[in-house]
Structures are given as C-alpha cells and as structure tokens.
C-alpha cells in the first residue's frame, strides 16, 4: 500500500496523539513509537531523494 505525503503526515499526527495518551498499554506505546520512527524516516527519505533536473 502506497501512502501520499498528506496521508503520512495525518498518520504521524494521530500516532503522536496516541503516544501521549495517559491510559494505554505499554506494548502498544512501543509499537506506536516504532511506527512514528518509520514514518519520520520515510518523510526524510522523500526529501533526500528529490533530485532536481539541474543536478542530473
């Protein structure tokens, strides 16, 4: 499944809210933190992988 940049940012916002919830399962928070790291890395990769035609 491919996600657009808007969808990734929306999921990141939702996951950050979930991470900050007071009541929750510890294992769930670890999974949420791992997903946040993956989405942040994905967005960083998109920024790095953008190649301008002038550099080719």
């Amino acid at each position: 499944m491919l996600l657009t940049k808007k969808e990734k940012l929306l999921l990141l916002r939702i996951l950050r809210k979930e991470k900050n919830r007071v009541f929750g399962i510890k294992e769930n928070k670890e999974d949420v933190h791992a997903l946040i790291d993956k989405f942040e890395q994905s967005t960083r990769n998109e920024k790095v992988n953008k190649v301008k035609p002038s550099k080719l």
Side-chain angles (χ1 to χ4, degrees), residues 20-38:
N20 293 331
R21 280 184 37 193
V22 176
F23 300 105
I25 303 169
K26 184 178 180 182
E27 294 84 16
N28 187 23
K29 289 189 180 211
E30 291 170 358
D31 292 340
V32 167
H33 186 66
L35 273 174
I36 289 172
D37 289 341
K38 285 183 181 181

Side-chain angles (χ1 to χ4, degrees), residues 5 8 14 24-26 30 34 38-40 44 51:
K5 187 175 182 179
K8 288 179 186 178
I14 293 169
I25 303 169
K26 184 178 180 182
E30 291 170 358
K38 285 183 181 181
F39 277 118
E40 287 175 344
R44 283 192 299 270
V51 178

Side-chain angles (χ1 to χ4, degrees), residues 5-56:
K5 187 175 182 179
K6 282 185 177 182
E7 292 170 338
K8 288 179 186 178
L9 294 176
L10 176 65
L11 285 173
L12 267 173
R13 190 169 50 216
I14 293 169
L15 287 170
R16 286 184 183 130
K17 285 181 184 179
E18 179 69 24
K19 182 180 78 170
N20 293 331
R21 280 184 37 193
V22 176
F23 300 105
I25 303 169
K26 184 178 180 182
E27 294 84 16
N28 187 23
K29 289 189 180 211
E30 291 170 358
D31 292 340
V32 167
H33 186 66
L35 273 174
I36 289 172
D37 289 341
K38 285 183 181 181
F39 277 118
E40 287 175 344
Q41 182 64 42
S42 176
T43 55
R44 283 192 299 270
N45 287 346
E46 283 179 2
K47 289 178 186 176
V48 169
N49 289 337
K50 281 188 178 177
V51 178
K52 295 182 181 178
S54 62
K55 292 191 176 191
L56 292 179

